[in-house]
Amino acid sequence: MNALSEQVLSELRHLLGEMSDGGSVGPSVYDTARALQFHGNVTGRRDAYAWLIAQQQADGGWGSADFPLFRHAPTWAALLALQRADPLPGAADAVQAATRFLERQPDPYANAVPEDAPIGAELILPQLCGEAASFLGGVAFPRHPALLPLRQACLVKLGAVATLPSGHPLLHSWEAWGTSPTTACPDDDGSIGLSPAATAAWRAHAVTQGSTPQVGRADAYLQAASRATRSGIEGVVPNVWPISVFEPCWSLYTLHLAGLFAHPALAEAVRVIVAQLDARLGVRGLGPTLHFAADADDTAVALCVLRLAGRDPAVDALRHFEIGELFVTFPGERNASVSTNIHALHALRLLGKPTAGTSAYVEANRNQHSLWDNEKWHVSWLYPTAHAVAALAQGKPQWRDERALAALLQAQRDDGGWGAGRASTFEETAYALFALNVLDGREEPTVRRRIAQAVARAREWMLARHAAHALPQTPLWIGKELYCPTRVVRVAELAGLWLAIRWQRRVLAEGAGAAP
């Protein structure tokens, strides 16, 4: 176990040292399909089309059947890309299967918009439906009527603006509303809104309209984004890139949840990242990367990390996003995020600021099991729950949450792991351990023994599935579809495993100390 702990620490140190390349993000069906559709040259992207077809599920749709709300955008996009790639092997069959899938699907936007709807759904889905209608003919497919007034209202606002400033959040969905390249300009990374789909769409319009001076930068961006997926296939792109602030911020925050933030083996790598964040944090806060609008979530987590590192950052950067008793991720967003407010609460408590309103909001957003779900940035309830437990316990030694603890232990699967879908995942099991780590220190010895038993089962599950330098494969983070920020998730997996191993050593040591 000591050798494995050292191996885990070594891999963590390596991951932290890599975080200067813009970030690592798994491949996206939606963005790849949109980029293929806008690329034009079908035969020049055979491998990418083959990858897209290979991602289709047995029921004809794309995306996990465990989370049906997030299947519409990738399925529509794949269908539109493949219906013009008829000569390629498997394309026609994939289109037929996708059409049958859509005919059978209930419409989650028939009457209202779910709180955890994918990013840009109100712009993207109506546009995809409109495009598909031209060749699907009389097929009765979901048309998402509840999204139509939201799309129209957004288009009216956009119509009043000649050009959006670089990094504006709406640029992330430019492919769903932009028609003229003059309405956007590539940022310093060459992207339109950190989105491969938006950038590919903008590039296609720019070439058609003869506006080519910046097409080369867009090409370079799309190539770099493709490399970030580590798929090795040209044209396969991620859902969002770069994430040069988000990736290191969340990774260091995760180390704190596992008790690894100040570990000597990681000290130098942590110091380098902290120095970069300290230099980047301005009065307006931080976004997922330097060339995108600041948001409350990235700003709050950055403040947490800097304070944990002994810095004294100003809370003013977070106050820009405060409206009444809560924090909005982006000004003008459709609905507030539970996890953004959890992170704001954690930052405020670490900085010694009043938190009554934010704390009340976080407490009020539990579900009937006293856990946190319905989160707009992550599909699993284990993510906000782990972070909420850490935030609520911050600076309050007597804090206890027996309801959340009981529900968390009850939710452990027979195999020893945790998961919001049909199977346990390494990432979610790690989040469960982070929460138990906080709750354990506040419980009675008998309850702590129950927790230790649960952790022992989780540890065995993790050990049976751990492989050094393995890339996470399960997308659980909410973008335009579910996606996987690879290094962020891998740090969580490794930190969870390290915590489970350390837990075992501690329990054994305590048992030896209690022996006669």
Side-chain angles (χ1 to χ4, degrees):
M1 283 299 181
N2 282 337
L4 181 55
S5 289
E6 292 303 315
Q7 181 193 95
V8 166
L9 290 170
S10 175
E11 187 174 339
L12 281 169
R13 188 165 55 244
H14 177 74
L15 287 167
L16 297 176
E18 287 184 319
M19 293 181 184
S20 58
D21 61 359
S24 180
V25 186
S28 159
V29 167
Y30 171 82
D31 282 75
T32 297
R34 295 299 267 168
L36 288 172
Q37 185 183 357
F38 292 121
H39 185 260
N41 183 358
V42 173
T43 57
R45 287 282 191 267
R46 283 181 176 273
D47 290 345
Y49 276 104
W51 177 88
L52 186 63
I53 292 169
Q55 307 312 306
Q56 189 172 30
Q57 302 296 313
D59 61 7
W62 278 262
S64 171
D66 289 352
F67 307 108
L69 182 62
F70 305 97
R71 304 189 75 187
H72 293 276
T75 299
W76 283 122
L79 178 64
L80 288 166
L82 291 171
Q83 61 87 24
R84 52 192 290 281
D86 208 43
L88 297 183
D93 290 343
V95 167
Q96 290 179 1
T99 304
R100 291 194 297 269
F101 170 82
L102 288 169
E103 285 183 290
R104 295 192 300 268
Q105 287 306 295
D107 191 345
Y109 307 97
N111 303 302
V113 181
E115 287 286 305
D116 55 345
I119 290 175
E122 68 275 21
L123 287 167
I124 293 167
L125 291 177
Q127 192 227 21
L128 292 175
C129 287
E131 288 186 47
S134 63
F135 71 89
L136 284 180
V139 174
F141 55 82
R143 295 176 183 267
H144 315 313
L147 294 173
L148 296 177
L150 295 178
R151 175 177 167 84
Q152 189 55 41
C154 195
L155 291 177
V156 169
K157 290 181 181 178
L158 287 165
V161 181
T163 304
L164 286 178
S166 178
H168 191 285
L170 282 173
L171 291 175
H172 188 63
S173 301
W174 192 91
E175 77 278 8
W177 60 267
T179 54
S180 170
T182 61
T183 59
C185 182
D187 59 29
D188 288 355
D189 291 309
S191 86
I192 302 296
L194 312 187
S195 167
T199 305
W202 181 91
R203 181 200 178 280
H205 284 292
V207 169
T208 300
Q209 299 182 26
S211 176
T212 57
Q214 302 204 65
V215 166
R217 292 178 56 225
D219 285 335
Y221 164 78
L222 290 168
Q223 290 166 7
S226 182
R227 289 194 296 272
T229 68
R230 301 192 186 186
S231 67
I233 304 171
E234 186 178 6
V236 173
V237 292
N239 187 251
V240 58
W241 192 83
I243 52 171
S244 52
V245 172
F246 166 79
E247 183 180 81
C249 265
W250 259 252
S251 295
L252 293 199
Y253 187 75
T254 295
L255 293 184
H256 167 66
L257 299 180
L260 274 165
F261 190 90
H263 196 287
L266 306 176
E268 179 56 22
V270 170
R271 184 196 65 77
V272 170
I273 291 174
V274 166
Q276 291 172 344
L277 290 176
D278 201 13
R280 291 170 172 175
L281 181 64
V283 293
R284 304 301 300 179
L286 280 170
T289 194
L290 293 181
H291 308 306
F292 199 71
D295 65 82
D297 210 17
D298 286 284
T299 299
V301 175
L303 289 174
C304 288
V305 167
L306 290 173
R307 188 70 191 115
L308 290 166
R311 309 295 173 99
D312 190 23
V315 75
D316 297 352
L318 186 57
R319 297 294 185 195
H320 296 298
F321 306 97
E322 191 173 19
I323 298 179
E325 299 294 338
L326 57 82
F327 291 84
V328 296
T329 310
F330 292 102
E333 68 183 350
R334 187 175 67 242
N335 57 313
S337 157
V338 175
S339 68
T340 292
N341 283 275
I342 289 168
H343 297 145
L345 172 63
H346 204 168
L348 292 171
R349 286 196 171 173
L350 281 165
L351 292 167
K353 304 298 180 183
T355 63
T358 313
S359 179
Y361 177 84
V362 170
E363 289 280 11
N365 275 277
R366 295 173 185 260
N367 62 21
Q368 69 271 27
H369 305 295
S370 292
L371 303 170
W372 288 263
D373 57 10
N374 201 23
E375 163 54 31
K376 68 186 288 184
W377 303 119
H378 200 288
V379 77
S380 174
W381 60 268
L382 287 142
Y383 169 81
T385 294
H387 290 199
V389 166
L392 290 168
Q394 179 62 46
K396 296 191 175 293
Q398 303 308 313
W399 180 85
R400 297 179 72 188
D401 197 330
E402 293 175 352
R403 296 172 302 159
L405 174 59
L408 196 59
L409 292 174
Q410 179 68 29
Q412 188 175 24
R413 295 176 179 274
D414 291 342
D415 63 11
W418 278 265
R422 284 176 290 185
S424 303
T425 72
F426 217 122
E427 178 185 358
E428 294 170 281
T429 300
Y431 294 143
L433 295 185
F434 299 155
L436 291 176
N437 187 43
V438 174
L439 296 165
D440 180 68
R442 291 164 166 78
E443 285 298 337
E444 303 299 325
T446 53
V447 180
R448 294 186 70 195
R449 282 194 288 274
R450 283 186 58 212
I451 295 173
Q453 290 167 0
V455 173
R457 291 173 56 212
R459 183 178 61 252
E460 293 308 310
W461 183 89
M462 292 173 126
L463 288 172
R465 288 155 183 82
H466 170 68
H469 303 286
L471 288 179
Q473 301 292 330
T474 307
L476 296 171
W477 295 70
I478 299 174
K480 295 171 184 175
E481 64 181 343
L482 296 184
Y483 74 102
C484 180
T486 314
R487 284 195 195 114
V488 171
V489 173
R490 184 59 175 170
V491 166
E493 292 178 350
L494 292 170
L497 177 58
W498 182 88
L499 181 60
I501 294 169
R502 190 194 68 166
W503 210 309
Q504 180 188 33
R505 289 204 300 263
R506 190 184 72 205
V507 168
L508 290 173
E510 289 173 355

